[in-house]
Amino acid sequence: MGQVLLSGEQAMAVEGLRRYLAAEADPLFGKAYRDRFMPREVLVPVMRRLAEFGLVSGAVSPAAGGLGLDWLTSLMLFEEVAACSVDLSVPVLINSFGAYLLEQVASSALRERYLPGLIAGTSFVSMGISEPGAGSNVLEVRTRARRDGDHWVISGEKTWISNGGYSDFLICLCRTGEDPRGGLTQILIDRHEHGYDVREIDKIAFNSQSTAQIFLDEVRVPVANTIGEEGGALKRTLAHFEKSRAFVAMQSVGLARRALEEAVTYAGVRRQHGKAIAGHQLIAAMLADMATQVDAARLLVHRAGQLFDAGRGAEMEAAMAKYFACEAAVSVARQAVQIHGGNGVTRDFLVEKLAREAIVCPIPEGTSQIQQLIIARALTGVAAF
Ligand SMILES: Cc1cc2nc3c(=O)[nH]c(=O)nc-3n(C[C@H](O)[C@H](O)[C@H](O)COP(=O)(O)OP(=O)(O)OC[C@H]3O[C@@H](n4cnc5c(N)ncnc54)[C@H](O)[C@@H]3O)c2cc1C
């Protein structure tokens, strides 16, 4: 389903990964830990195997111990993970971007200490931006880091933090100065050495992995744990979003593809009015609409990936991919439930879970409304936010 042209190497990598996921990961996420928190010791062996396929490790160059995959290939592999399990795709996504940030910006001491575990699949990072009062507007971050000699003293609360419960360290966006744009700094906080409290958040979906609140109370962290220059985090965070949004878009493509596959199978076997429901024109129309949305979303994501690989700015294209793919996932998952009739709302069928997951997708990494504002700003040059 959904043909795109892959190189021979890409096709082999995607096929090998698909086989592993179907055999090993799908039973874990689809059955044993369906809607149930997966403990770290169960997740680690999966992350280790995924690292061998180029997930997380692909985001880092060979010089720093990674596989150094191009963005497009990384996105193709990521689609397979999301089509297997959106829950599993979250730690892959967060660790990939944590690893990418460490390689690009962190000091060699931080890189040497924290990067190897991430790219081997044995440690976890969290990216702490959002707070109770700072969601769509990053400038409202209040978590405060004040200098005390050669340490930062950090207090505040982060929320919606993916990987929070698994995390060994947090890359925390802190306010270190009064300038709204120039007063934000990223600081690496080690959970075991410096300490922070974590509380899981119960959600409509995505409950096999960790989304958490993180509480920081006068946490002392060496100034050497600053990532990049003091006050320079806003520009970097926004640049980071450009790439990570393409992956969140691909998460939705994977989810929607899975919903389509489930609907096609069901429509072929469920019979009403003397024939398989796939033979009813209104069901066929739904399937055609779903398939077209999945493919259009994937092509938008691939275009963003190609622009990244060409070293070109792709803020608008990544926003389009994120906006379209996440809204497509909602629409496709809903239609997949409809095609399943009453069975579609029971826990015996996967589409019920996919529909709950799809509702979440247009929220993280910039809501659909924020993506619309970014797209319109690129078109008009006028910021509406
Ligand atoms: C599953 C999940 C995982 C997440 N993981 C992380 C993570 O790892 N790290 C992290 O830092 N954050 C994470 N987040 C947080 C996420 O980035 C925020 O939820 C998101 O940015 C939206 O912020 P908010 O929830 O505060 O909503 P708000 O910003 O309060 O928005 C509420 C509504 O208002 C709309 N809105 C806001 N401003 C405007 C505007 N100017 N114009 C029009 N409409 C507007 C929004 O689109 C939305 O519909 C995660 C969230 C979820 C759900």
Side-chain angles (χ1 to χ4, degrees), residues 181 184 229 231-241:
R181 304 185 77 81
L184 292 171
E229 75 286 15
L234 180 67
K235 201 165 159 228
R236 205 164 40 247
T237 301
L238 297 180
H240 173 110
F241 279 150

Side-chain angles (χ1 to χ4, degrees), residues 94 127-132 134-137 159-162 203 206 211 360 363-370 373 384-385:
I94 302 297
M127 308 294 285
I129 300 167
S130 305
E131 300 180 359
S136 298
N137 186 5
T159 193
W160 307 116
I161 305 306
S162 301
K203 308 170 295 296
F206 287 58
T211 315
V360 180
I363 296 171
E365 219 72 9
T367 63
S368 286
Q369 289 69 41
I370 296 300
L373 295 175
F385 69 125

Side-chain angles (χ1 to χ4, degrees), residues 86 89-90 93-94 127 129-130 134-136 138 159-162 203-206 209-211 240-241 244-252 255 318-319 321-323 325-327 329-330 356-371 374:
V86 174
S89 73
V90 177
L93 172 71
I94 302 297
M127 308 294 285
I129 300 167
S130 305
S136 298
V138 175
T159 193
W160 307 116
I161 305 306
S162 301
K203 308 170 295 296
I204 185 175
F206 287 58
Q209 55 84 50
S210 171
T211 315
H240 173 110
F241 279 150
S244 58
R245 277 176 185 149
F247 282 76
V248 176
M250 198 51 120
Q251 197 173 49
S252 286
L255 186 161
K322 205 285 176 177
Y323 171 48
C326 295
E327 296 298 331
V330 177
R356 285 186 284 116
E357 290 170 341
I359 287 177
V360 180
C361 293
I363 296 171
E365 219 72 9
T367 63
S368 286
Q369 289 69 41
I370 296 300
Q371 306 311 318
I374 292 169

Side-chain angles (χ1 to χ4, degrees), residues 35-50:
D35 289 322
R36 208 156 66 77
F37 184 75
M38 177 176 282
R40 183 182 157 124
E41 61 272 21
V42 181
L43 181 55
V44 165
V46 181
M47 295 296 286
R48 290 175 74 134
R49 283 291 282 137
L50 290 183

